[in-house]
Amino acid sequence: MAKTVSAKTLRNSFNQWFFWNGCSQQAETMLGMAFGQSMSPVIEELYDSKEDRAAALKRHITLFNTESQVGSVCNGIAIGMEEQLANGIGTPESIQEAKVALIGPTSAIGDSLWVATIILSCSP
Amino acid sequence: MSVLQMVLIALFIYLGASGSIVGNTIGWYCLGRPLVASFIVGLIMGDVQTAMLVGVPLQIAYLANVTPGGAVAWDLSYATYIGTATALALKGTVASTPCPDRSRLYRCRFGWRSRRHHVGIHYSLDVFLNRWAERLAEQGETRKMWMPNVLGGQAIGFLARFVPALAILAAINAAGSSSGLNIPGWFITGISTFGSMMAALGMGYHSELPGQEEYPLGYFLAGFVLVTYFGLNTMAVAIVGIIVAFIVYAADNRQEAF
């Protein structure tokens, strides 16, 4: 039977990212720990063995940084790819590469569209 | 300021800082904005009107406050909350200049100081939390991944924001209650002049934002002239601005179609 991520887990993952994405932002992995935390409910649901969970967690606490609101797209894509990987499609490296590739575009769109335009238009 | 007021303001400084427990969407991007901050300080201190007078020029000065990658993570909440609270606490103490000018003095000082404070403490101390997260990841502890991020990160964040904020507020309160606060007039004039330029600096920075390389400065100047020299209502000019934007947008699209 194919493994899927339930809607409840998705909501859980979203909440953990939405509220705590910047909690431990620092100079080494930026938002890496927060990304790992938001992926942890998904990893728990998809993988049963301790080794698989450890490997999945380790690839999600590496350097990651984006504009956290528009950048939550990255979480969605990473969850989708993890789901496929749990069903034997794709490689762990491809998830890493997709994440790193999305850092630039989502930051650029998020910072200029959301932070510099929409928030500005609403705040004064 | 009473102790309760100081604690409440310091608590909001912590919540409105980047990466607080309520998330950046609610904290940094909402509670951290100068106008919101001054409104909250006004509610806490019981003088919303003066607080908003302080907040409006500050909002313009920080108009272009975009912090990509946290690279220029100035803790805006320090400047705005403490700046407004200082203006309200010292209102009437320094009698030589009108209130908005005086508040600018404090805003400038705290704004520049807080920027270094955040980058230094929070960004450096949180690095050690990575080792904790790595250990948990190696053990596959999915249920404990929140601990280094939320528990560790916020413990450091709280210490780095709430405690110094409370200390500064207490110092300001002490200065406000002592009758011998004597700031020379030339100093207030000088710092007020710099403070007045901050709004222009904010507009200038804003024109340099990514994606706005062709910022139409002409439109901005036209609006400025209409309001300042022609004495027209700001809201009416803003609506005319929206109409012009629609026309320009439509004209641009038509050009691309051909």
Side-chain angles (χ1 to χ4, degrees):
Chain A
M1 202 179 87
K3 287 177 179 172
T4 49
V5 180
S6 67
K8 192 184 161 207
T9 309
L10 274 179
R11 268 197 299 274
N12 186 359
S13 177
F14 170 79
N15 285 336
Q16 300 214 24
W17 177 256
F18 182 80
F19 285 106
W20 299 321
N21 60 61
C23 273
S24 63
Q25 190 177 18
Q26 23 66 38
E28 188 183 335
T29 62
M30 301 306 281
L31 307 174
M33 278 184 268
F35 196 89
Q37 189 200 340
S38 83
M39 289 299 287
S40 60
V42 175
I43 290 166
E44 192 176 294
E45 191 170 18
L46 290 177
Y47 302 103
D48 298 320
S49 77
K50 197 184 141 186
E51 288 73 30
D52 286 346
R53 285 181 181 179
L57 280 178
K58 273 200 267 183
R59 68 174 161 263
H60 287 302
I61 57 165
T62 52
L63 174 74
F64 180 74
N65 194 33
T66 183
E67 194 285 304
S68 51
Q69 297 161 107
V70 171
S72 53
V73 170
C74 304
N75 298 51
I77 290 169
I79 291 169
M81 291 182 84
E82 280 291 347
E83 196 180 59
Q84 293 217 317
L85 187 67
N87 291 312
I89 307 166
T91 60
E93 291 77 32
S94 62
I95 302 178
Q96 288 276 43
E97 280 161 18
K99 247 174 75 181
V100 172
L102 282 168
I103 289 176
T106 51
S107 308
I109 296 170
D111 276 338
S112 50
L113 179 74
W114 189 259
V115 179
T117 310
I118 295 176
I119 291 180
L120 260 188
S121 317
C122 299
S123 54
Chain B
M1 274 187 284
S2 71
V3 176
L4 181 67
Q5 283 173 327
M6 284 194 279
V7 169
L8 275 176
I9 293 170
L11 195 66
F12 271 103
I13 286 171
Y14 154 69
L15 290 178
S18 86
S20 79
I21 194 92
V22 291
N24 280 341
T25 310
I26 299 169
W28 176 242
Y29 290 125
C30 181
L31 293 175
R33 298 298 106 176
L35 214 50
V36 181
S38 54
F39 176 65
I40 290 170
V41 172
L43 283 182
I44 293 172
M45 304 214 17
D47 188 356
V48 178
Q49 196 184 5
T50 315
M52 297 300 271
L53 279 175
V54 176
V56 170
L58 195 52
Q59 176 76 34
I60 302 170
Y62 283 97
L63 204 59
N65 184 36
V66 181
T67 51
V72 266
W74 31 16
D75 250 353
L76 192 55
S77 45
Y78 257 68
T80 51
Y81 282 95
I82 293 184
T84 313
T86 308
L88 293 188
L90 300 189
K91 190 178 158 193
T93 312
V94 188
S96 57
T97 45
C99 186
D101 276 0
R102 202 164 60 243
S103 59
R104 264 185 217 124
L105 154 78
Y106 306 110
R107 284 203 307 270
C108 293
R109 282 222 306 257
F110 288 112
W112 300 127
R113 186 179 297 168
S114 62
R115 187 158 61 149
R116 257 177 295 162
H117 165 83
H118 172 73
V119 176
I121 298 176
H122 203 238
Y123 262 49
S124 316
L125 287 181
D126 278 8
V127 167
F128 298 104
L129 297 171
N130 278 306
R131 306 289 89 74
W132 187 5
E134 277 164 15
R135 237 187 356 261
L136 287 174
E138 262 167 38
Q139 293 159 358
E141 297 272 15
T142 46
R143 298 253 162 140
K144 289 184 183 166
M145 287 309 287
W146 66 276
M147 285 161 75
N149 182 41
V150 181
L151 197 69
Q154 287 311 289
I156 294 169
F158 190 78
L159 282 177
R161 277 115 177 200
F162 181 84
V163 178
L166 200 60
I168 296 170
L169 286 169
I172 290 163
N173 199 32
S177 55
S178 70
S179 54
L181 187 71
N182 191 15
I183 302 171
W186 59 265
F187 184 75
I188 290 184
T189 311
I191 206 94
S192 295
T193 312
F194 281 114
S196 310
M197 289 183 206
M198 298 306 283
L201 198 65
M203 288 304 302
Y205 270 135
H206 186 239
S207 64
E208 294 292 316
L209 281 178
Q212 298 191 350
E213 285 84 3
E214 294 170 26
Y215 187 80
L217 186 67
Y219 297 124
F220 172 71
L221 288 177
F224 180 77
V225 167
L226 284 176
V227 173
T228 310
Y229 297 107
F230 286 54
L232 296 177
N233 185 295
T234 313
M235 189 52 80
V237 175
I239 293 169
V240 171
I242 293 172
I243 295 167
V244 171
F246 272 119
I247 294 170
V248 170
Y249 180 75
D252 275 2
N253 279 357
R254 191 163 295 174
Q255 270 175 358
E256 275 166 26
F258 283 113

